[in-house]
């Protein structure tokens, strides 16, 4: 099979796509992130969180297309008092009839934002461990 018109159209399309250029802007992290501060009392805040397992009610809320099976996480109501910035209002648009749609809104936890808090808590605990090691060393020396 020979399609010269198709081939020339494809070559023209490819050449047009290659002619489009994008300009990337490199932004300095110190300019991008403002009001940077250390995370403190992370261990205390984490102690107030209650990790849970749960299942979404996928039968009742089929229209939201939530994941089935056991999930691990936190209740937004438990995280809100400790880390209010980690809780946000999620919304999903779903069909509710012919030419009609609705929006479901519910609170979600951005669990990936817990990673820096966990690192801070580990560092706090490690500092406490080091201090206790020094105290034990002093007590043994007596």
């Amino acid at each position: 099979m020979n399609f010269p018109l198709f081939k020339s159209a494809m070559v023209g399309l490819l050449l047009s796509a290659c002619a489009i250029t994008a300009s990337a802007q490199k932004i300095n992290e110190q300019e991008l992130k403002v009001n940077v501060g250390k995370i403190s009392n992370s261990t205390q805040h984490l102690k107030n969180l209650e990790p849970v397992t749960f299942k979404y009610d996928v039968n009742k809320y089929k229209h939201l297309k939530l994941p089935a099976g056991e999930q691990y996480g936190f209740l937004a109501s438990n995280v809100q008092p400790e880390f209010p910035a980690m809780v946000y209002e999620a919304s999903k648009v779903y069909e509710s009839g012919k030419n009609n749609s609705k929006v479901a809104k519910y609170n979600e936890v951005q669990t990936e934002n817990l990673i820096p808090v966990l690192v801070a808590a580990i560092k706090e605990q490690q500092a406490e461990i080091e201090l206790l090691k020094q105290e034990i060393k002093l007590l043994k020396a007596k």
Side-chain angles (χ1 to χ4, degrees), residues 26-75:
K26 177 73 175 165
I27 301 172
N28 185 320
E29 183 178 31
Q30 281 75 25
E31 292 177 21
L32 186 63
K33 298 175 183 177
V34 296
N35 300 327
V36 175
K38 291 195 181 256
I39 298 172
S40 60
N41 300 322
S42 54
T43 306
Q44 185 58 47
H45 288 293
L46 288 172
K47 284 174 25 178
N48 294 329
L49 295 185
E50 192 63 43
V52 296
T53 61
F54 62 92
K55 291 181 180 179
Y56 288 109
D57 191 342
V58 293
N59 293 324
K60 185 176 182 179
Y61 296 102
K62 287 179 186 175
H63 55 280
L64 297 180
K65 297 181 175 102
L66 298 166
E70 190 171 50
Q71 306 292 314
Y72 294 85
F74 300 93
L75 298 178

Side-chain angles (χ1 to χ4, degrees), residues 1 19 24-25 35 42-43 45 47 50 53 58 70 78 85 92 95 101 114 117 119 126 130 140 142:
M1 290 187 179
Q25 177 186 7
N35 300 327
S42 54
T43 306
H45 288 293
K47 284 174 25 178
E50 192 63 43
T53 61
V58 293
E70 190 171 50
N78 179 241
K92 287 192 178 183
E95 297 294 321
S101 61
L114 277 171
V117 178
V119 171
Q126 191 60 42
E130 295 301 323
K140 282 184 177 181
K142 288 184 178 179

